Amino acid sequence: MNKIFFLVLVGLLISCNRSNELDKKGLQVEEVVDSKDSQNVIKKDSLDFKIKSLGVLLTANPNIRIAPLFKLNYNEKEKTYYTGSNEFHYNYYQDNQKEGNYWHNIIPGFNALYGYNLVNIFHFDHNENKGKKLFDKPVLIKTCYYPSDTVDTLSYQPLNRNFYMISVYDEDTNKDNYINSRDLRRFYFFDKNGDNKSLLIPKNYSVIGADYDEDNDYLYI
């Protein structure tokens, strides 16, 4: 059981006019810069910002390492830069799992990485001595599922995942000049080499959530 199966249940685009200011946090698509000439307003693409890597993470493949890339934020009040941090989703219910099924991760065989303003993943192949970003431009990553370097089991069988799943906000779909949680959330697949990028659900739908079925190794989206 080394290849997880996907079953897309339903995806709905829900338009919400929420006033919560936290919803506006994210990546600003463009900002208007004041100009002395009001007829010549300058627009600056704010997706061009500094990023910082926070360490190197092991994967199931000893030749492949990944590094999470975070937006380098600036605190105007304190005049300092800061970033988010690496966080991981875990499974806290191992004692309730069936005999032969044991894993620490939220989905067996995958580590689940997230963090504030996580904007890209750097993929490095030691055999090829080459590295690359998985996304061509910054995106707002909700969760990055990557092959775990620890051994998880399902029906006593070790799981060896060899692909990546990344849940992201990558387009200003509601046209408010921000890429954030109010936009469509998309779900991408990458192979073990970080290639063959493809959508797991159609582009005009949004991921609302997912549930894992351990009996069938299915992920319901």
Side-chain angles (χ1 to χ4, degrees):
M1 295 188 181
N2 291 332
K3 188 172 183 180
I4 197 169
F5 291 89
F6 302 96
L7 180 61
V8 178
L9 296 180
V10 65
L12 297 175
L13 170 58
I14 302 175
S15 177
C16 301
N17 294 318
R18 293 176 290 177
S19 60
N20 190 341
E21 287 301 312
L22 289 177
D23 289 333
K24 289 191 175 182
K25 291 186 179 296
L27 308 182
Q28 191 170 351
V29 177
E30 65 180 15
E31 65 179 307
V32 177
V33 180
D34 291 334
S35 172
K36 292 181 180 179
D37 182 1
S38 60
Q39 301 299 316
N40 187 27
V41 176
I42 302 171
K43 289 187 177 181
K44 179 182 178 183
D45 181 2
S46 64
L47 288 180
D48 182 18
F49 47 73
K50 295 180 180 179
I51 61 175
K52 181 180 180 180
S53 170
L54 288 187
V56 175
L57 303 178
L58 306 180
T59 73
N61 186 334
N63 299 315
I64 301 297
R65 298 292 180 256
I66 64 170
L69 303 178
F70 287 82
K71 178 183 178 183
L72 194 57
N73 306 286
Y74 186 71
N75 187 315
E76 288 282 354
K77 184 177 181 180
E78 299 181 3
K79 307 299 181 184
T80 57
Y81 285 98
Y82 66 97
T83 67
S85 59
N86 295 332
E87 304 289 345
F88 298 89
H89 292 291
Y90 295 102
N91 176 12
Y92 296 102
Y93 305 102
Q94 293 95 337
D95 292 341
N96 296 329
Q97 292 175 3
K98 296 179 181 178
E99 187 177 1
N101 294 357
Y102 188 82
W103 64 84
H104 292 282
N105 304 299
I106 195 167
I107 299 176
F110 289 105
N111 285 330
L113 166 72
Y114 69 97
Y116 175 70
N117 276 353
L118 175 60
V119 297
N120 219 323
I121 301 293
F122 188 77
H123 179 282
F124 186 79
D125 186 330
H126 280 278
N127 281 347
E128 300 290 334
N129 198 30
K130 292 180 180 179
K132 61 188 172 187
K133 296 175 184 175
L134 293 186
F135 293 92
D136 295 332
K137 62 180 182 179
V139 298
L140 194 60
I141 296 175
K142 174 75 171 178
T143 311
C144 171
Y145 300 94
Y146 64 95
S148 174
D149 64 313
T150 59
V151 178
D152 295 330
T153 62
L154 203 59
S155 299
Y156 294 101
Q157 299 300 312
L159 291 167
N160 297 298
R161 309 294 190 188
N162 61 357
F163 58 94
Y164 299 76
M165 303 182 296
I166 305 183
S167 170
V168 306
Y169 304 97
D170 63 347
E171 183 182 352
D172 178 22
T173 55
N174 65 354
K175 306 303 180 185
D176 66 352
N177 292 330
Y178 286 87
I179 295 177
N180 57 24
S181 61
R182 299 183 71 177
D183 295 307
L184 295 181
R185 178 152 61 105
R186 295 179 174 137
F187 206 24
Y188 287 96
F189 165 92
F190 296 83
D191 66 19
K192 64 180 180 180
N193 298 317
D195 297 322
N196 294 320
K197 174 185 174 185
S198 58
L199 280 168
L200 292 172
I201 67 168
K203 186 175 182 179
N204 292 328
Y205 289 80
S206 185
V207 173
I208 296 172
D211 288 300
Y212 178 68
D213 174 2
E214 65 188 70
D215 290 331
N216 297 292
D217 199 20
Y218 267 64
L219 185 65
Y220 297 94
I221 305 171

